[in-house]
Amino acid sequence: MDKLTKFTREELACPRCGKVHLCDRYSVINVTEKPELKEKVLLNKLFVFKCDACGLTAPLTYESVYVDTKKKLLFYLTPERTENTEKSLAMWEKVDAGQKRIVTSLNDLKEKILIADNLLDDRIVEFMKIEHLKQLEKEIKDDNLLDILFDYQGNQYYFMLFFEKKGIGRIPVSQEYYRDAEHRYSSRIGRRPGDRFMEINMKWAGDIVFKRN
Ligand SMILES: [Zn+2]
């Protein structure tokens, strides 16, 4: 399996004004080979459609594999799992990597990158989110919590909260809390699973916390 960056240049008509643009569609993004692509992903400059004629900016998420050869990361972005996805996943499964993940959105991909940048275990982070749900009980009753995402600034970790009505909020998460959670959950998750693709999200953590108790 070739792990190097691969893209095709495709014509894409603007859904608003019809102007045809040439867009680069990446099937493989290798950020060890092309570090600038990592920045583009994080700044929402890669999975996006921009029309210079009418000004439309719209997210453009498609199936793509994010590879960090140096950090041994393989993140498979798939908004929609099809038969072809499964075939492609089976091929990528043969590739050696320390961490293999399936993500379904650009935000989830970005979160995995940020977690890996901080050398944290994404499974522990998902357990911490589940614990935060209890603290947010009252707010969740009044508003719909759409998502919780890890973020950081310098040495400070955060959880970004996305509420339907209230919008975006941010709560600080201490490094001590992470270490504590790591200690408490380590027996539940065993060693770091690297050789198989996993979808690690709040559903995964919730299933372990609520169903196995
Ligand atoms: Zn347009």
Side-chain angles (χ1 to χ4, degrees):
M1 201 72 202
D2 190 4
K3 289 189 280 183
L4 294 179
T5 300
K6 208 176 348 179
F7 67 90
T8 50
R9 193 154 283 177
E10 291 176 7
E11 283 190 347
L12 206 65
C14 172
R16 190 196 273 163
C17 74
K19 184 179 172 183
V20 175
H21 293 260
L22 285 176
C23 289
D24 291 341
R25 202 180 172 93
Y26 288 83
S27 54
V28 181
I29 299 166
N30 188 319
V31 300
T32 304
E33 177 200 5
K34 294 183 184 297
E36 69 276 13
L37 291 180
K38 176 181 170 183
E39 290 312 306
K40 278 190 158 186
V41 170
L42 291 174
L43 295 169
N44 297 328
K45 285 183 176 170
L46 205 119
F47 294 100
V48 72
F49 175 82
K50 270 188 180 165
C51 179
D52 57 9
C54 73
L56 176 78
T57 302
L60 186 71
T61 313
Y62 50 84
E63 201 150 307
S64 185
V65 187
Y66 179 98
V67 183
D68 192 324
T69 321
K70 202 169 154 204
K71 289 185 179 155
K72 297 184 183 304
L73 307 173
L74 256 189
F75 300 147
Y76 197 106
L77 171 63
T78 172
E80 191 178 20
R81 278 173 89 159
T82 63
E83 223 171 281
N84 282 337
T85 313
E86 303 306 326
K87 276 183 205 157
S88 171
L89 271 171
M91 283 198 296
W92 281 99
E93 198 70 275
K94 292 176 194 151
V95 175
D96 209 29
Q99 196 191 19
K100 286 181 187 169
R101 295 290 183 253
I102 296 169
V103 289
T104 54
S105 72
L106 176 58
N107 277 344
D108 288 350
L109 172 64
K110 284 161 63 182
E111 183 186 43
K112 293 293 178 208
I113 298 169
L114 298 181
I115 290 172
D117 276 350
N118 282 277
L119 305 174
L120 304 179
D121 187 320
D122 61 337
R123 297 170 300 171
I124 301 296
V125 172
E126 297 303 327
F127 283 126
M128 290 161 72
K129 289 183 191 172
I130 296 290
E131 292 188 347
H132 270 74
L133 289 183
K134 284 179 202 152
Q135 295 174 34
L136 294 164
E137 213 165 24
K138 199 189 156 291
E139 281 155 293
I140 292 171
K141 234 182 244 172
D142 303 335
D143 201 340
N144 193 10
L145 180 64
L146 304 170
D147 210 354
I148 306 180
L149 291 173
F150 172 87
D151 198 1
Y152 75 99
Q153 215 165 30
N155 291 325
Q156 181 66 58
Y157 305 149
Y158 294 98
F159 277 142
M160 306 294 292
L161 310 172
F162 296 82
F163 283 103
E164 192 171 10
K165 285 185 268 179
K166 263 194 305 224
I168 303 171
R170 186 171 89 158
I171 35 177
V173 175
S174 73
Q175 301 205 5
E176 290 71 30
Y177 175 40
Y178 175 84
R179 299 294 159 214
D180 179 60
E182 192 178 37
H183 181 69
R184 284 183 287 117
Y185 287 104
S186 60
S187 64
R188 303 258 192 122
I189 53 175
R191 287 180 180 278
R192 189 169 194 94
D195 46 355
R196 305 287 298 172
F197 274 108
M198 291 177 79
E199 208 173 327
I200 300 294
N201 49 29
M202 274 171 76
K203 188 192 170 299
W204 172 87
D207 283 349
I208 291 177
V209 171
F210 299 119
K211 288 180 187 162
R212 280 201 208 157
N213 275 339

